[in-house]
Amino acid sequence: MIIPSFKAGYTRVPRLISTTDITSTGSQNYTVPAGTIYLEIEIVGGGGGGGAGRTITSGRNTRYHGGGGGGGGGYVKYTYRGSLHGGFKVGDTLSFTVGTAGTAGSGSSSGGNGGNSTLNSHTQNSIPQLFLTVPTGGGGFGGETESTYDTTASGGGGGIFSNDDLTVYRDWE
């Protein structure tokens, strides 16, 4: 998750205050810097795990087959201008969750799905305010392992994104 924060400049053009890259997974909080007028938040879901490779022996022949790759996490870019109660104030925090990567397949199992990354709430004056529409970068789907002799394992699908400011057109639909 990347969170740059901006404040008003002298020429009415916002200027960057700071950029924070958050890569550790799980639930966390971010303290909004003083003077912030808006945040541009980039959210990426955890990638899916790759499917297990297999070794198949038939008579004297041994074949090695790779598992399908895991799908990438969904991406969301979200501009947040603060709460309905007047933008940002000193001491405001955002609560968010960074999704974990999917587990790799083993034996004859497919890879695990990645976890969702979400922006959960904005706490102002010690009162948490939940988002009505939660910006979410969905986790990627796990890759498959080869199920039968002489087939190809499929890769996992990409994560689904929702409630963003960025419009992305997918050419496979």
Side-chain angles (χ1 to χ4, degrees):
M1 185 171 294
I2 300 172
I3 308 176
S5 55
F6 295 85
K7 74 179 202 177
Y10 293 109
T11 61
R12 295 186 179 245
V13 176
R15 67 180 182 90
L16 181 65
I17 297 173
S18 69
T19 299
T20 304
D21 291 336
I22 301 164
T23 57
S24 54
T25 59
S27 296
Q28 308 173 51
N29 291 319
Y30 169 78
T31 302
V32 179
T36 297
I37 58 171
Y38 70 94
L39 300 167
E40 285 184 352
I41 303 169
E42 296 181 70
I43 303 169
V44 180
R54 293 182 62 188
T55 303
I56 300 173
T57 303
S58 175
R60 293 184 186 183
N61 298 326
T62 299
R63 293 187 181 186
Y64 302 95
H65 301 273
Y75 171 83
V76 169
K77 185 171 184 178
Y78 183 72
T79 302
Y80 183 52
R81 301 191 186 286
S83 73
L84 298 174
H85 304 290
F88 295 107
K89 296 182 170 54
V90 174
D92 282 9
T93 59
L94 298 179
S95 169
F96 58 91
T97 303
V98 177
T100 59
T103 57
S106 64
S108 61
S109 69
S110 297
N113 296 338
N116 293 343
S117 295
T118 58
L119 181 60
N120 302 319
S121 67
H122 173 189
T123 299
Q124 189 172 68
N125 300 324
S126 301
I127 301 169
Q129 302 163 34
L130 301 176
F131 290 94
L132 295 176
T133 55
V134 176
T136 302
F141 295 89
E144 295 180 355
T145 191
E146 182 181 26
S147 58
T148 60
Y149 188 72
D150 253 356
T151 61
T152 302
S154 298
I160 306 297
F161 58 91
S162 61
N163 302 317
D164 62 337
D165 294 332
L166 180 69
T167 302
V168 177
Y169 296 97
R170 298 182 293 200
D171 59 3
W172 65 84
E173 293 184 327

